[in-house]
Amino acid sequence: MTGNEFVYTTYIKTTPERLWEALTDPGSTRRYWGVAFETDWRPGSAVTWHEEGATTSDPEQVVLAAEPGRCLSYTWHTFTPEWARVTGVDEETRVRLLREPRSKVTFDLEPVGEAVRLTVVHEGGEVLLGMSRHGWPHVLSGLKTLLETGAPLPTT
């Protein structure tokens, strides 16, 4: 981990194909993350976020790389007042987030025996990464639990 990135690795007992589907299928992402993505997952395509009733879209929210079963990367979303309201982020924090450069997240998938090593790298500014260091472990634990048990992680 450096000052401008958060790196998290986990091992999930699944196949690269099932993990890819869980990362890209809106029905799956909604179950463990509470977010549904609207996109065709082709590099350069826009990514619209649907989260807690808020829709976030922006021309700079795009797919950077998409190699099914291997790698997925996209720019992180835009911090709209609607997003802040539904996620409980105060206006001061939202304004600080807007001052940071747009971040990106990359998911690398590597088969390891009967499991897949998933490494997530989130590159961004200080405020967002501070929030992400708390959020990513919960999201990725939910993903792992869903794939290994078929049930979402209980909400806290």
Side-chain angles (χ1 to χ4, degrees):
M1 226 180 302
T2 68
N4 66 346
E5 69 179 19
F6 172 75
V7 180
Y8 190 95
T9 300
T10 188
Y11 292 79
I12 304 173
K13 187 174 181 182
T14 191
T15 64
E17 296 78 18
R18 284 188 66 223
L19 180 51
W20 178 265
E21 181 179 348
L23 291 170
T24 59
D25 174 69
S28 295
T29 57
R30 191 177 301 281
R31 288 186 72 197
Y32 67 87
W33 195 343
V35 174
F37 298 102
E38 182 182 332
T39 185
D40 61 13
W41 296 114
R42 291 193 312 237
S45 292
V47 179
T48 299
W49 288 55
H50 299 282
E51 179 177 18
E52 304 287 332
T55 298
T56 308
S57 61
D58 186 283
E60 293 183 30
Q61 258 174 224
V62 295
V63 177
L64 299 172
E67 299 173 46
R70 297 192 58 222
C71 179
L72 178 65
S73 183
Y74 49 87
T75 56
W76 204 246
H77 63 83
T78 304
F79 305 108
T80 64
E82 180 184 33
W83 167 82
R85 181 181 45 76
V86 301
T87 59
V89 172
D90 63 79
E91 184 62 11
E92 179 183 333
T93 302
R94 188 183 80 82
V95 169
R96 289 175 60 211
L97 287 165
L98 289 172
R99 290 185 191 128
E100 296 184 343
R102 185 171 298 273
S103 67
K104 76 173 184 174
V105 64
T106 301
F107 301 86
D108 284 313
L109 293 69
E110 182 181 344
V112 180
E114 293 183 19
V116 178
R117 178 177 32 237
L118 173 63
T119 301
V120 177
V121 178
H122 194 153
E123 300 171 62
E126 181 181 335
V127 176
L128 179 60
L129 291 181
M131 296 167 71
S132 297
R133 285 183 177 94
H134 296 285
W136 274 121
H138 188 266
V139 168
L140 297 172
S141 294
L143 170 61
K144 178 179 173 63
T145 299
L146 180 64
L147 286 171
E148 291 180 347
T149 71
L153 191 65
T155 58
T156 56

